[in-house]
Amino acid sequence: MGSAHSEAACRAREMLDRVGDKWSLPVISELGTETRRFTELRRAIDGISHRMLTVTLRELERDGIITRTVHAVMPPRVEYTLTPMGHALLDAVGSLVTWAEAHLDEIDAARTGYDARAEQASALTRPPGRENR
């Protein structure tokens, strides 16, 4: 029983790593509203390279999060859309984004306090005559 649970936990971690990478969520978010072509996605996602968009789309397709449709026209037209599972993921992630947005001020205050305490502790343990350089 423990082995099956640890295998499932490992596979779940793998999926969390996928959606937690730098580019998957922006791609999923862009596809949440409508079907998009590759060039539309590339223009909409600031900073993503052609290669990274290609890799991300392939991984999301392999995992069943998006579907890729090739239209037999000249030149070929390829479109990407979220699957029902992809929409469910977008809904779940939306809750996390909402939480983060609602707590930005608290997060900023906590970071400022932590950084001040860390700097103060560092100053106390620094040998005399050794200021920050």
Side-chain angles (χ1 to χ4, degrees):
M1 171 118 163
S3 176
H5 174 72
S6 69
E7 180 183 340
C10 183
R11 294 185 69 215
R13 248 188 329 273
E14 179 183 313
M15 279 310 302
L16 292 172
D17 287 344
R18 163 90 64 249
V19 298
D21 71 16
K22 183 174 183 176
W23 299 114
S24 291
L25 286 179
V27 169
I28 292 166
S29 179
E30 283 299 321
L31 293 174
T33 56
E34 62 185 312
T35 297
R36 298 284 183 98
R37 295 178 69 177
F38 185 94
T39 52
E40 293 172 324
L41 287 168
R42 182 134 185 249
R43 271 187 252 129
I45 302 169
D46 190 38
I48 195 166
S49 69
H50 186 280
R51 181 185 177 285
M52 281 312 303
L53 181 55
T54 299
V55 168
T56 301
L57 289 168
R58 284 182 185 158
E59 290 172 347
L60 293 172
E61 181 182 12
R62 182 173 183 257
D63 292 334
I65 305 299
I66 66 170
T67 57
R68 177 180 185 266
T69 304
V70 179
H71 298 277
V73 295
M74 286 309 284
R77 187 179 77 211
V78 180
E79 295 178 329
Y80 299 90
T81 191
L82 287 182
T83 63
M85 186 169 55
H87 279 286
L89 173 61
L90 184 59
D91 291 343
V93 170
S95 297
L96 289 172
V97 171
T98 300
W99 173 87
E101 289 171 347
H103 293 88
L104 286 176
D105 291 341
E106 294 169 79
I107 293 166
D108 290 342
R111 288 177 176 178
T112 300
Y114 178 92
D115 293 345
R117 288 187 307 277
E119 177 60 31
Q120 190 175 38
S122 176
L124 291 174
T125 60
R126 196 176 301 126
R130 294 217 146 173
E131 291 78 29
N132 280 345
R133 296 177 193 206

